[in-house]
Amino acid sequence: MENYEITSLDNGVTRIREKFISADWRCNIWHIQGRERDLIIDTGFGLTSLAAAVTEISDRPIIAVCTHSHHDHAGGLCQFENRCGHHSEAKIFAEPSRKIIVADLLDASVIRKSPYKGFDISTWCYQPAPLTGLIDDGDIIDLGDRHFHIFHVPGHSPGSVAIFEPKTGIILTGDAIYDGVLYDHLYHSVPNQLVESLNKILSMDFNVVHAGHFQSFDKDRAKIIVQEYMDGKRSMLCPTP
């Protein structure tokens, strides 16, 4: 695929990445295969057709879930008919602006190659994507033969969610936890809530974290990441000593 990098993993999970976004900024877009329908978790910047790319690996109906509304995760949500997110960020998905999707963090270094003629990262904002389904703590997404449980994990943003499949021990965490410096300094971030959410995630019986950025990791690595965050080594508000 010209604009996307596709990697197949275990348990019917595929990682999709936008090739023209810098490696330290692009989010992981996750495709999960079900018997009756498939799940897309996060949609990247959406500067080219993610929906068309997905049709090359799946012909089943798609449920698109965004872990939160930030520019690097929700840009392609408008390309899907079935769009789910947490109710506390519903207004952001429906009425995005550069400020509220934190696109004001972006500069030219984020884009490795212009996706189309006339593209300007300094003015770009993703298209409105009103949610067709609201998700919250305790909800379950049914793919026919697979069931994914929704956990509300605020802190990075008020509507951040994680998606957990007990049968396989897979958890998809968006930006609540990944193997990097955790963003807890944005306009609607609440570090104390993030601490609670990280502990909530660690309490779950998972085997692998498919995170919003960088590589996947196991529970032992997750414990290290959380401890390092608590020690101020992964916090934007508390620089590494």
Side-chain angles (χ1 to χ4, degrees), residues 12-14 16 30-41 54-65 80 82 84 141-146 148:
V13 177
T14 300
I16 305 172
W30 299 102
H31 173 266
I32 298 177
Q33 181 177 329
R35 183 181 62 214
E36 298 175 7
R37 59 194 68 86
D38 289 357
L39 187 59
I40 288 287
I41 298 175
V54 170
T55 62
E56 296 191 27
I57 58 175
S58 172
D59 59 0
R60 288 171 292 275
I62 298 291
I63 300 172
V65 175
F80 298 91
N82 195 341
C84 298
I141 297 175
D142 180 4
L143 302 186
D145 58 339
R146 307 182 69 170
F148 289 83

Side-chain angles (χ1 to χ4, degrees), residues 2-220:
E2 180 182 357
N3 296 310
Y4 293 93
E5 168 193 298
I6 309 295
T7 305
S8 295
L9 305 177
D10 294 337
N11 292 308
V13 177
T14 300
R15 185 185 66 208
I16 305 172
R17 288 172 168 170
E18 293 163 303
K19 291 180 180 179
F20 47 81
I21 306 297
S22 64
D24 61 347
W25 205 273
R26 66 187 178 187
C27 94
N28 293 321
I29 301 164
W30 299 102
H31 173 266
I32 298 177
Q33 181 177 329
R35 183 181 62 214
E36 298 175 7
R37 59 194 68 86
D38 289 357
L39 187 59
I40 288 287
I41 298 175
D42 289 333
T43 60
F45 280 69
L47 301 180
T48 61
S49 182
L50 172 62
V54 170
T55 62
E56 296 191 27
I57 58 175
S58 172
D59 59 0
R60 288 171 292 275
I62 298 291
I63 300 172
V65 175
C66 276
T67 60
H68 60 298
S69 60
H70 292 165
H71 61 270
D72 51 332
H73 292 258
L77 187 60
C78 63
Q79 300 175 23
F80 298 91
E81 292 184 7
N82 195 341
R83 304 182 295 271
C84 298
H86 193 267
H87 62 82
S88 65
E89 295 184 31
K91 185 175 176 63
I92 301 176
F93 290 113
E95 302 174 11
S97 70
R98 281 181 58 81
K99 181 178 180 179
I100 64 174
I101 68 169
V102 295
D104 48 1
L105 295 178
L106 299 171
D107 61 42
S109 67
V110 171
I111 305 297
R112 297 171 55 191
K113 175 185 175 183
S114 180
Y116 54 82
K117 186 176 181 180
F119 175 76
D120 184 354
I121 194 64
S122 68
T123 59
W124 172 80
C125 181
Y126 67 66
Q127 295 297 308
L131 298 177
T132 62
L134 300 178
I135 53 176
D136 204 349
D137 212 70
D139 289 343
I140 296 176
I141 297 175
D142 180 4
L143 302 186
D145 58 339
R146 307 182 69 170
H147 300 87
F148 289 83
H149 297 240
I150 301 298
F151 288 86
H152 185 208
V153 287
H156 174 71
S157 74
S160 288
V161 296
I163 299 98
F164 176 52
E165 185 180 35
K167 182 174 69 173
T168 59
I170 292 169
I171 188 168
L172 303 104
T173 57
D175 284 359
I177 182 173
Y178 53 84
D179 201 349
V181 175
L182 304 184
Y183 274 40
D184 57 3
H185 68 300
L186 305 174
Y187 75 96
H188 56 185
S189 299
V190 181
N192 288 342
Q193 286 186 340
L194 182 56
V195 169
E196 293 177 1
S197 293
L198 291 170
N199 286 325
K200 183 176 183 177
I201 290 169
L202 287 185
S203 73
M204 300 179 205
D205 189 20
F206 64 87
N207 302 316
V208 60
V209 177
H210 293 316
H213 296 273
F214 312 124
Q215 299 302 314
S216 300
F217 48 90
D218 62 15
K219 191 164 191 176
D220 287 340

